[in-house]
Amino acid sequence: MSEAAPHLVISGVSKRYGAATVLERVDLTIRRGELVTLLGPSGCGKTTLLRAIAGLAPPDTGTIALAGRDVTHVPPHRRNVGVVFQNYALFPHLTVAGNVAFGLKVRGTPKAEIDLAVRRALALVKLGHLGGRRISALSGGQQQRVALARAIAVEPDVLLFDEALSALDRKLREEMQVELRRLLQEVKATAIFVTHDQDEALTMSDRVAVMNKGRIEQLAAPRELYARPASLFALNFVGLSTRIAGQVVGAQDGMVEVVTPVGRLSARGAFQPGASVIVATRPEQLRLGADAGANSAAGRVRSVVFQGSRTLVDVDAGAGASLLAELSGREAEVPRVHDEVRFAWPVAETFAFAAEAAP
Amino acid sequence: MMTRAAIVVCWVLAIGLALFLVLPLAVIAAASFSPTPVFDLPLSGASLRWYGRIGRLDGFWPSLFLSLQIALLSTALSLVAGTLAAIAIARGKLPGATALGTLLVSPLMMPGLVLGIALLQYFRMIGFTATWSALLVAHLVVTLPYVARTMIAGLSRFDFTLIEAARTLGCTYAGSVIRVMVPALAPSFLISGLFSLLASFDNYPVSIFLTDVRSKTLPIRMLQYIEEAPDPTLAALSTLILAGTLVLLLISDRLVGLHRMAGTAD
């Protein structure tokens, strides 16, 4: 099978619990070796989708194919998936090595092979020296690694991580994000992460699926997701932004003219004149001063927050509108609170979204 | 920080209390080796003659067998019923599960005497007069709470994600239960069985109302002996029961750790 061939194909998957629709006709195709994150707020269906892939919560409709095999109705124990659970779910009555060996033992793998695979998996997560330990004698970070080793040891077709890093403290989590990505690429694993943490999503994945109300709102590479959000929800959920409500007064070639409280703005988007929209841009697009041919707005500085490599400036643009600008550390001039300032930003980096979709 | 004096006081109290609890047992054990029918300190020698007399006590063997029979049987039944009930209560999303759990455990809070009288009257009312069966049912009422309480506690601590983890690693559902849930709950199972066994074996206040002249459980028979002939034979028997209990406790401690008995977690 080629590297680019579809490895996991989810099509038209829906799931309801009583009256609540948790997944609504979800389609998702993942290539072999790809790292994909399902990102969204709690209740968006991301965990349910992961459980559907694992076979723990079969979908009501739709199909799931893994490694060229329809597994929609295959029970979890015959799917060959590896799951790292949020609380790790390590077996307390077994040692570290016993946990890692579990999947292979169940499969009836010969003992010599099990020993080799356990040693390899533990070495991979740098716990080779702790094989004989009891689980209760490990730190949270070590338990996380054991859970990973246990899932990897069975050489699954896909690795599934259910908020697997969320129980670690911030510093450890950030270290693990980088290390985990490197490790997964090393073993050429196909992996799906479920998280509500946008930093984790952007750091770990080749592609991010932003989920909302049981649907995938956008599936894109992290950079594209940030620069070209497909919906107001995606814009809000990943990164900071300036958002101004207005009405479309002109439309042409995928661009709209919008009247807003801060003035006329041009934005990318296809809307009929008269439509209510939200005009948005990313904070690092804003530059101090006016610029012909660019969008611009003026106001009074409300706050200035210095964050080391960058400075965030919040501007009250009047009529309830505000601008958020991010100035890099190299910027010579940084405004002070109460200064009257004007910011400009490129039309090509301005987007219009339907207003009624506002969360 | 505790002061030195406070620590000393604590230890003195703890040791004093332990002595207060254990000394009578030590006296019984000492008395069982007395060479004379009347226990007198200091001992004028040691003898096993009273141990030899235990087996010749009138009605001893039938009583011992009856007690063992009832204890083992009621424990076995309680383990099965109590575990199943605990699963339903801790996991089954039953309406009123908490109330049901409290109800199951409630005989523990009842004075045995009251329970005994109530059962006697009830059994008479419904015409349930077979002594052996009545005794077994009564002991079920006594032992079930021990099993239910311990198993509900054990199950509510059990993380059901472990079952899912085992399933994704290649276990069937049944296999996951056997490989993961059974080992995790084995300590609770063992401990509740032990509690239940002891509770049944030395039960007096409930049994007294349900036994008749021909079938008496061991504790009742022992009280009768003491009324008839207070010699050290009973001390010898008590010492044997004590030793048996100690052996059971030691085995349990080896297997699962006694700290779990109090319901305190690992």
Side-chain angles (χ1 to χ4, degrees):
Chain A
M1 194 183 291
S2 85
E3 288 283 308
H7 185 61
L8 174 66
V9 181
I10 295 162
S11 38
V13 162
S14 297
K15 176 91 185 168
R16 327 176 124 264
Y17 287 119
T21 302
V22 192
L23 291 175
E24 180 99 49
R25 290 191 302 277
V26 171
D27 297 310
L28 179 64
T29 301
I30 294 174
R31 294 183 293 273
R32 179 176 287 272
E34 207 176 11
L35 308 179
V36 173
T37 294
L38 308 177
L39 175 69
S42 58
C44 73
K46 55 189 194 298
T47 296
T48 306
L49 183 56
L50 197 83
R51 292 172 62 81
I53 298 168
L56 294 168
D60 299 334
T61 59
T63 60
I64 298 172
L66 179 59
R69 178 169 74 116
D70 182 352
V71 296
T72 314
H73 300 291
V74 173
H77 64 276
R78 287 199 268 115
R79 284 204 182 197
N80 201 28
V81 296
V83 186
V84 179
F85 292 87
Q86 182 168 14
N87 62 356
Y88 316 136
L90 297 172
F91 306 126
H93 62 289
L94 298 176
T95 61
V96 168
N99 268 273
V100 179
F102 189 91
L104 297 165
K105 268 205 184 121
V106 172
R107 283 166 166 76
T109 313
K111 192 170 180 322
E113 265 177 64
I114 294 181
D115 289 346
L116 193 69
V118 168
R119 234 176 302 138
R120 205 184 308 138
L122 282 176
L124 204 62
V125 298
K126 297 183 188 141
L127 286 181
H129 55 299
L130 295 183
R133 283 275 179 94
R134 294 208 73 83
I135 295 302
S136 55
L138 300 183
S139 72
Q142 288 170 332
Q143 292 190 13
Q144 216 272 333
R145 286 160 190 268
V146 176
L148 176 62
R150 183 178 69 179
I152 284 181
V154 298
E155 296 182 10
D157 288 324
V158 62
L159 269 168
L160 307 171
F161 295 82
D162 185 10
E163 304 263 8
L165 298 179
S166 64
L168 303 177
D169 64 62
R170 192 190 163 89
K171 192 166 146 43
L172 193 58
R173 190 166 67 227
E174 285 171 1
E175 283 171 16
M176 272 307 282
Q177 285 171 10
V178 177
E179 190 185 329
L180 187 55
R181 180 172 169 81
R182 186 187 52 68
L183 192 151
L184 292 174
Q185 285 171 333
E186 194 179 306
V187 299
K188 296 192 170 57
T190 309
I192 301 176
F193 310 97
V194 154
T195 185
H196 59 267
D197 180 346
Q198 50 158 308
D199 294 328
E200 194 174 311
L202 298 181
T203 310
M204 307 269 294
S205 14
D206 300 322
R207 284 193 297 162
V208 179
V210 177
M211 290 190 67
N212 183 30
K213 293 178 185 155
R215 298 166 183 274
I216 294 180
E217 293 239 347
Q218 185 171 12
L219 175 64
R223 205 168 282 277
E224 188 193 340
L225 177 69
Y226 182 80
R228 296 277 179 272
S231 68
L232 195 58
F233 180 84
L235 170 94
N236 280 340
F237 206 80
V238 179
L240 298 168
S241 58
T242 283
R243 299 180 296 276
I244 301 163
Q247 278 220 313
V248 176
V249 291
Q252 197 184 1
D253 302 334
M255 300 293 294
V256 287
E257 283 290 306
V258 185
V259 172
T260 74
V262 303
R264 260 175 111 91
L265 300 173
S266 302
R268 291 162 167 264
F271 292 96
Q272 295 297 317
S276 290
V277 295
I278 304 282
V279 177
T281 192
R282 294 297 188 187
E284 68 277 10
Q285 300 298 340
L286 273 66
R287 289 284 167 270
L288 272 174
D291 184 356
N295 287 321
S296 88
R300 182 188 287 269
V301 175
R302 198 186 283 137
S303 70
V304 178
V305 179
F306 176 67
Q307 291 188 330
S309 62
R310 62 182 193 173
T311 302
L312 285 176
V313 181
D314 183 25
V315 177
D316 180 3
S322 59
L323 308 173
L324 184 67
E326 180 190 318
L327 305 177
S328 80
R330 287 191 299 275
E331 214 89 25
E333 187 189 354
V334 173
R336 294 161 183 277
V337 175
H338 299 318
D339 281 359
E340 291 286 344
V341 291
R342 176 164 283 278
F343 277 106
W345 66 94
V347 170
E349 298 298 336
T350 312
F351 308 93
F353 299 106
E356 51 271 17
Chain B
M1 252 309 261
M2 257 203 262
T3 64
R4 209 183 173 75
I7 293 171
V8 170
V9 170
C10 276
W11 271 107
V12 168
L13 276 177
I15 292 169
L17 196 64
L19 281 178
F20 178 74
L21 291 174
V22 172
L23 266 182
L25 301 181
V27 170
I28 286 281
S32 73
F33 297 109
S34 162
T36 56
V38 180
F39 176 55
D40 205 8
L41 278 173
L43 288 172
S44 49
S47 149
L48 287 177
R49 60 186 279 216
W50 307 112
Y51 285 87
R53 285 194 46 172
I54 294 173
R56 294 198 298 273
L57 282 172
D58 175 40
F60 167 76
W61 292 110
S63 285
L64 177 66
F65 286 135
L66 178 65
S67 270
L68 283 177
Q69 217 171 35
I70 296 286
L72 288 171
L73 213 59
S74 67
T75 294
L77 290 172
S78 284
L79 279 175
V80 174
T83 303
L84 292 177
I87 290 172
I89 287 165
R91 192 60 186 164
K93 291 169 190 133
L94 282 175
T98 320
L100 202 62
T102 312
L103 195 71
L104 261 181
V105 177
S106 62
L108 263 185
M109 304 165 218
M110 203 81 73
L113 217 56
V114 176
L115 207 61
I117 293 175
L119 283 171
L120 175 67
Q121 293 205 335
Y122 177 66
F123 287 162
R124 273 206 186 139
M125 217 172 72
I126 62 170
F128 183 47
T129 50
T131 304
W132 191 87
S133 318
L135 211 53
L136 180 65
V137 171
H139 277 231
L140 258 178
V141 174
V142 172
T143 56
L144 195 59
Y146 290 97
V147 176
R149 187 183 62 171
T150 314
M151 291 308 289
I152 289 172
L155 270 165
S156 55
R157 276 203 306 270
F158 181 72
D159 174 12
F160 280 84
T161 324
L162 294 181
I163 299 245
E164 297 193 335
R167 292 178 71 199
T168 62
L169 286 165
C171 273
T172 59
Y173 192 90
S176 307
V177 169
I178 291 167
R179 277 172 179 269
V180 175
M181 197 162 156
V182 167
L185 291 180
S188 304
F189 198 74
L190 214 77
I191 290 299
S192 60
L194 183 68
F195 265 134
S196 161
L197 207 63
L198 293 176
S200 167
F201 189 75
D202 80 357
N203 182 280
Y204 183 86
V206 175
S207 306
I208 186 73
F209 292 100
L210 300 167
T211 45
D212 55 29
V213 191
R214 273 164 292 124
S215 44
K216 284 187 172 161
T217 60
L218 194 59
I220 294 169
R221 185 70 76 183
M222 283 169 76
L223 200 76
Q224 179 200 325
Y225 294 151
I226 242 185
E227 284 163 354
E228 288 168 357
D231 64 31
T233 316
L234 268 191
L237 178 52
S238 301
T239 307
L240 280 184
I241 293 173
L242 185 66
T245 310
L246 272 178
V247 167
L248 270 182
L249 285 174
L250 282 174
I251 292 172
S252 317
D253 187 41
R254 264 298 142 84
L255 287 176
V256 297
L258 276 185
H259 61 282
R260 301 212 196 196
M261 276 199 154
T264 52
D266 338 41

